[in-house]
Amino acid sequence: MCIAVFLWKAHPLYPFLILLNRDEYHNRPTKSLAWWEGGEILGGRDEQAGGTWLASTRDGRLAFLTNVRQLKSIPKAKSRGDLPVRFLKSKKSPMEFAEEIIIEADQYNGFNLIIADLCSMTMVYITNKIKDDTNFVTDVSPGIHVLSNASLDSPWPKATRLKDSFEDLLNKYGEGEAPIKEMTGELMRNMIKDEESMLPAIYPPEWEYHLSSIFVEAETPLGRYGTRSTSALSMKANGEVCFYETHLENESWEEQTVTYQIAIAE
């Protein structure tokens, strides 16, 4: 489970800004933020399946992913974390890639995938789990969006809390520079839970309660589960990309920031 809030083509300084929590079992092998694939892809990496939940490239490509809750899973499904990597390695436009992926979408368990070309400022949303389990592809409209474990902008209480708080902070800083690291800590560490969960009741009530907060912490029979890392990626109008991550390493929170430049189309 993950949750992300992002700003797209609706701010004079930040054409794109995302904050994202990755929730996973603490014992699942994971690599923290780093350049990989010959120094072309930047992001964290799931060492068990080899994929990622949020990553970008030097030539302006970006992808992020969340799982979609579902009652029944495909036993031998393809790894969803491989989808962002496939896009980042490809040369296709976001819509061309989406049209390719949607043909094979039923081979994956439920996913939300957002892919973008930040140089041309094009972004596409792909999912294989909306009503009636049909596939869906659309351009992402300008504005503030939240992606959790249902369709894009589904009004779950935790998603609404995050969107409202994000919008309030953006309004506070106006059109100027925002303290992204501080925003990340304030918004993505929120542990408010819903006593009466509005989540889809796929899991037992106690588990739904734990998952109803933006920042998740829970003990389970399979081990500790919760928010393993928090990421913030911003792109300024001049093409400067800043990728910040704080992640759990041996029960201690570590952080790092990588900055690079991309070319923006005129």
Side-chain angles (χ1 to χ4, degrees):
M1 299 297 161
C2 300
I3 188 168
V5 61
F6 64 98
L7 175 67
W8 176 240
K9 295 200 292 191
H11 192 281
L13 182 60
Y14 298 105
F16 178 71
L17 168 62
I18 182 172
L19 310 180
L20 183 148
N21 276 356
R22 181 209 182 204
D23 302 332
E24 187 52 85
Y25 285 100
H26 286 209
N27 56 12
R28 187 172 176 118
T30 299
K31 286 186 177 180
S32 60
L33 177 68
W35 288 105
W36 38 289
E37 295 296 337
E40 291 300 318
I41 295 177
L42 177 64
R45 194 165 196 175
D46 173 27
E47 290 191 272
Q48 183 167 309
T52 189
W53 52 96
L54 169 65
S56 59
T57 67
R58 294 185 187 274
D59 61 357
R61 297 171 80 80
L62 175 134
F64 57 99
L65 176 86
T66 68
N67 296 345
V68 175
R69 289 176 174 224
Q70 57 191 113
L71 287 169
K72 296 181 179 180
S73 298
I74 302 171
K76 295 183 178 180
K78 292 182 177 180
S79 172
R80 292 168 287 199
D82 189 49
L83 291 169
V85 180
R86 285 177 59 182
F87 171 70
L88 296 174
K89 289 182 175 181
S90 79
K91 299 299 181 183
K92 295 185 176 182
S93 71
M95 187 56 74
E96 288 171 340
F97 183 83
E99 291 169 350
E100 172 188 303
I101 289 300
I102 212 66
I103 296 172
E104 58 182 87
D106 60 354
Q107 299 175 39
Y108 297 86
N109 285 316
F111 70 82
N112 292 310
L113 175 66
I114 290 186
I115 52 179
D117 181 338
L118 298 179
C119 295
S120 63
M121 293 302 293
T122 55
M123 179 180 284
V124 172
Y125 167 59
I126 312 157
T127 185
N128 65 345
K129 293 293 177 184
I130 57 172
K131 290 182 179 179
D132 302 320
D133 285 351
T134 52
N135 301 332
F136 183 74
V137 175
T138 187
D139 290 310
V140 177
S141 62
I144 297 174
H145 300 277
V146 179
L147 189 65
S148 56
N149 306 112
S151 299
L152 181 65
D153 295 322
S154 290
W156 288 3
K158 64 188 288 184
T160 301
R161 281 197 297 273
L162 181 55
K163 183 177 182 179
D164 290 347
S165 299
F166 183 69
E167 189 169 10
D168 287 345
L169 276 183
L170 287 175
N171 289 335
K172 175 182 176 180
Y173 297 110
E175 296 185 354
E177 190 157 349
I180 305 298
K181 179 179 173 181
E182 288 76 7
M183 284 179 63
T184 303
E186 181 175 345
L187 300 182
M188 307 308 286
R189 289 298 184 104
N190 189 309
M191 297 184 68
I192 294 174
K193 295 180 175 62
D194 303 307
E195 292 298 333
E196 294 186 10
S197 177
M198 298 294 290
L199 299 180
I202 288 176
Y203 304 124
E206 182 181 359
W207 188 232
E208 293 282 12
Y209 174 74
H210 285 300
L211 297 178
S212 68
S213 57
I214 294 166
F215 186 93
V216 176
E217 278 189 333
E219 296 292 340
T220 80
L222 298 176
R224 194 175 176 196
Y225 178 91
T227 303
R228 289 279 304 272
S229 65
T230 299
S231 304
L233 188 150
S234 65
M235 186 191 75
K236 291 184 177 179
N238 64 2
E240 180 185 273
V241 177
C242 181
F243 200 151
Y244 165 79
E245 180 190 85
T246 178
H247 66 279
L248 202 55
E249 186 78 33
N250 298 321
E251 302 307 313
S252 175
W253 286 92
E254 308 290 341
E255 60 181 44
Q256 55 191 312
T257 303
V258 178
T259 303
Y260 63 99
Q261 189 75 28
I262 64 172
I264 304 298
E266 297 293 336

